[in-house]
Amino acid sequence: MSRIDVRELTRPSDVGDPAAWDALNARGPASISGSRRWLTAAFATTHRDATPVLFAAEAAGRLVGLLPLALHDKKTFPTLRFAGAPHNDLNDVLAAPGYERTATAAIVSALGDVAGRGWSLTLDDIDPQGHLASVRDGGVLEWAGAGVAPTVDLRGPWAAAASGPRRRQWNRRLRRLRDRHAVEWRRIDGAAMLDELPRFVTLREARRQATRREPDQPPTAFFAAVVRELAPIKACAFMEMLVDGSPVASDLYLLDRPSALMWLRALDPDFQSYPCGHLLLRATAEAFASEGYESLDLGRGDEPYKFVFGAEPRELLRARLRWDVQRVQEVAQSPPTGASDNRTGRIRA
């Protein structure tokens, strides 16, 4: 195996040949959140005040691994996070086949150097079966759980996971709806997504106002930019339930075979008496299973409806620099003298 060298880059364009970046992979859908297109959307919208910091692993001059991060709060409390976070549902290092562990280990080793600059590192929502998780035995990072993100195995008996009474209730409600309206299912991908995007935004906002929720995350500007980036390569799609030709339920999926991630959802509050979200999810799972997808990723959160469809809980991971964690513990255990960190001029927390 060739020696792995790690370069720290401050512009995505410094990675070099875009095709080399595109050839790197993680388990889906983490490849999407580490892609050039995702970074373009992030730094054009929610990361306008952040600085790109990319750790590129190379073997004999060939790109074999990449960890794209963003440096936030550079003047006050500089912190490295995944580019696009906190709006990414799954994150990991990207790697070339055969270099998954070696490239990742080299990048993690390089991360240890940033503590000397007074930077913190917070990596959330890491794939527990991914490349980063495979090097947890190193001494650079401290690991902890980061919440649940359930997944449905489309190769298993997911269709029978819901109880018989619940499935019969769905069917009765669907028949009742069809007695009064025309009901159909639709998938929109490619360039047509750009025409559908304003309607999706309007539907999400209508539900937010009806439920009096706080403004949705991620911001509209970010997910709209993601759609504009991913739609041309069909790495995303809208799955919709239509009533009389208009969507009453619409889900935005990120597509990274063999996984499909339900990233965002929009529901018409005027049809809340019908289980439109459940009906759409059932139809979507059937469609993706027929196309050979193996996993339906339902994203972060342990909402009960996810387990109705036979989803299995998956505990995501969080990583921080071990130096950061030790320093926080030292501060917590020391008397409140107001003493500052000798290296950074402030108490780290």
Side-chain angles (χ1 to χ4, degrees):
M1 184 70 68
S2 302
R3 169 184 166 181
I4 306 292
D5 297 307
V6 177
R7 291 194 298 146
E8 185 179 326
L9 311 174
T10 57
R11 294 180 303 180
S13 60
D14 291 339
V15 174
D17 183 7
W21 187 341
D22 295 344
L24 304 179
N25 281 292
R27 283 190 346 123
S31 293
I32 290 180
S33 57
S35 68
R36 292 184 299 113
R37 295 174 184 273
W38 193 270
L39 262 67
T40 297
F43 284 104
T45 55
T46 59
H47 286 3
R48 288 182 181 274
D49 296 326
T51 302
V53 180
L54 300 92
F55 291 84
E58 297 176 341
R62 173 194 168 205
L63 183 68
V64 294
L66 187 68
L67 178 62
L69 304 177
L71 181 65
H72 297 267
D73 305 318
K74 189 173 183 179
K75 294 182 180 179
T76 55
F77 191 78
T79 304
L80 284 171
R81 297 186 177 91
F82 284 112
H87 312 306
N88 311 355
D89 278 56
L90 195 68
N91 297 293
D92 203 359
V93 167
L94 303 181
Y99 289 89
E100 293 87 352
R101 186 172 178 85
T102 54
T104 301
I107 289 172
V108 169
S109 178
L111 288 175
D113 296 338
V114 307
R117 308 172 204 174
W119 293 4
S120 290
L121 176 78
T122 299
L123 303 181
D124 290 325
D125 306 313
I126 297 172
D127 183 353
Q129 298 178 359
H131 307 328
L132 264 174
S134 72
V135 297
R136 273 183 285 180
D137 53 352
V140 175
L141 300 176
E142 186 89 359
W143 294 84
V148 175
T151 60
V152 176
D153 184 355
L154 295 178
R155 299 164 297 179
W158 67 268
S163 67
R166 185 185 292 271
R167 295 199 304 272
R168 289 192 291 272
Q169 182 188 55
W170 289 344
N171 293 334
R172 284 196 304 270
R173 294 289 182 89
L174 180 56
R175 285 196 300 269
R176 189 178 306 167
L177 192 59
R178 280 178 163 157
D179 287 341
R180 305 172 185 177
H181 306 277
V183 179
E184 58 184 315
W185 319 100
R186 178 174 69 181
R187 172 175 175 165
I188 300 176
D189 57 18
M193 292 188 70
L194 304 183
D195 295 329
E196 184 66 16
L197 185 58
R199 187 154 51 175
F200 180 78
V201 171
T202 299
L203 201 59
R204 277 178 64 83
E205 179 62 16
R207 186 195 186 201
R208 186 191 71 80
Q209 292 185 2
T211 56
R212 299 182 180 180
R213 296 181 178 180
E214 293 297 319
D216 278 341
Q217 295 293 334
T220 299
F222 177 66
F223 74 72
V226 167
V227 170
R228 287 192 291 269
E229 289 292 329
L230 297 182
I233 60 171
K234 295 191 175 183
C236 60
F238 287 124
M239 305 298 286
E240 297 185 332
M241 176 180 177
L242 306 180
V243 172
D244 296 333
S246 296
V248 297
S250 181
D251 293 337
L252 173 56
Y253 277 84
L254 304 180
L255 305 179
D256 191 6
R257 284 184 180 273
S259 177
L261 166 69
M262 188 176 72
W263 188 34
L264 298 175
R265 163 160 280 193
L267 297 171
D268 189 333
D270 292 338
F271 285 82
Q272 61 184 350
S273 60
Y274 295 93
C276 297
H278 287 183
L279 292 172
L280 175 59
L281 186 52
R282 182 173 65 174
T284 297
E286 291 172 350
F288 283 136
S290 69
E291 294 176 24
Y293 281 84
E294 299 176 1
S295 173
L296 189 65
D297 191 325
L298 298 180
R300 293 175 296 174
D302 58 356
E303 294 88 346
Y305 81 88
K306 297 179 179 180
F307 301 100
V308 168
F309 288 86
E312 293 293 330
R314 174 186 54 182
E315 181 75 16
L316 302 181
L317 297 173
R318 173 183 295 116
R320 297 178 64 184
L321 289 174
R322 190 174 296 275
W323 184 89
D324 272 348
V325 175
Q326 292 173 343
R327 182 57 182 161
V328 169
Q329 293 171 344
E330 291 170 3
V331 170
Q333 295 169 2
S334 64
T337 61
S340 64
D341 183 337
N342 292 331
R343 296 168 65 179
T344 64
R346 64 178 179 278
I347 294 177
R348 301 175 66 86

